[in-house]
Amino acid sequence: MSRTAGVNWGPEDVEALRRAVQGPVLEPGSEGYAAECATFNLNCGLRPALVVGAGGATDVRAAVRSAVRQGLPVAVKSAAHQIVASAEGGLLITTDRMKGISVDERGRTARVEAGVRWSEVLPRTAEFGLAPIVGSAPEVGSSATRWAAARARCWAAVSAMPPTMCGG
C-alpha cells in the first residue's frame, strides 16, 4: 500500500489503475519513479503517491477518474519546464509518451499531443513551409508555452468526463 501525506491507495486501487492504462503506474521507490518525477525546476520537487505515464488521452482520463474516486489531487507534467503542483500524496500524470503530431497544410495548422516538444514539431511543419514561432528553446513542450496558449485555435481538454474535441 502506498501511503503519503495520510492518503491511502490500496493495492486493489493501484492494480485497477494499472489495468485501466497502457502506460506505467509507478509508486515511490519503484524503478522509474524518480525519473518520471524529475523536473528542471529543482525548487518544485514532485512527491506524488502515484505516477501514471500516460500514453494517450484514454490513460489521462482513467488516471483522473481514479484520483477523483480517491479524492486525491492531480498534477500534470509535460516537458518538465513548467512549474507543477507537487501532487503531494496525490497523482502525477506525465505526458512524455503522448507524441502524436499531425499537420494540416491546407488549414495551416498542427495538432500536437501534450508530450510533444517544439523540436519535434518544427521538422514536421517545415515539410509544408510552415514555421511556428517558438522562441529560442525548441526543447520546451509545445503545449506549455505562452505562445501556444495565446495562439492556439483549440485545446482538447481531457477530464474524467467523456471526451470532447474542437471541430470534431
Side-chain angles (χ1 to χ4, degrees), residues 101-156:
I101 303 171
S102 63
V103 180
D104 176 0
E105 179 181 19
R106 186 171 168 197
R108 303 180 57 78
T109 60
R111 281 183 184 245
V112 297
E113 288 187 334
V116 176
R117 296 172 189 250
W118 282 116
S119 62
E120 297 163 312
V121 175
L122 293 171
R124 297 287 301 279
T125 56
E127 294 173 21
F128 302 102
L130 302 173
I133 301 169
V134 299
S136 61
E139 289 307 309
V140 170
S142 60
S143 64
T145 63
R146 288 186 186 180
W147 181 88
R151 304 291 191 272
R153 291 186 186 177
C154 172
W155 289 93

Side-chain angles (χ1 to χ4, degrees), residues 21-24 36 52-64 75-79 92-102 111-118 120-121 124 140-144 155-159 163 165:
V21 300
Q22 293 181 359
E36 207 74 17
V52 171
T58 302
D59 283 3
V60 173
R61 210 168 3 270
V64 170
V76 178
K77 183 184 91 162
S78 60
L92 175 65
I93 300 171
T94 60
T95 63
D96 287 347
R97 293 162 185 82
M98 298 175 65
K99 295 293 192 179
I101 303 171
S102 63
R111 281 183 184 245
V112 297
E113 288 187 334
V116 176
R117 296 172 189 250
W118 282 116
E120 297 163 312
V121 175
R124 297 287 301 279
V140 170
S142 60
S143 64
W155 289 93
V158 178
S159 73
M165 299 293 288

Side-chain angles (χ1 to χ4, degrees), residues 44-87:
C44 297
L46 300 175
R47 297 169 302 282
L50 286 177
V51 177
V52 171
T58 302
D59 283 3
V60 173
R61 210 168 3 270
V64 170
R65 284 183 181 144
S66 180
V68 167
R69 278 193 300 275
Q70 299 293 330
L72 301 174
V74 175
V76 178
K77 183 184 91 162
S78 60
H81 284 87
Q82 81 275 20
I83 295 174
V84 179
S86 74

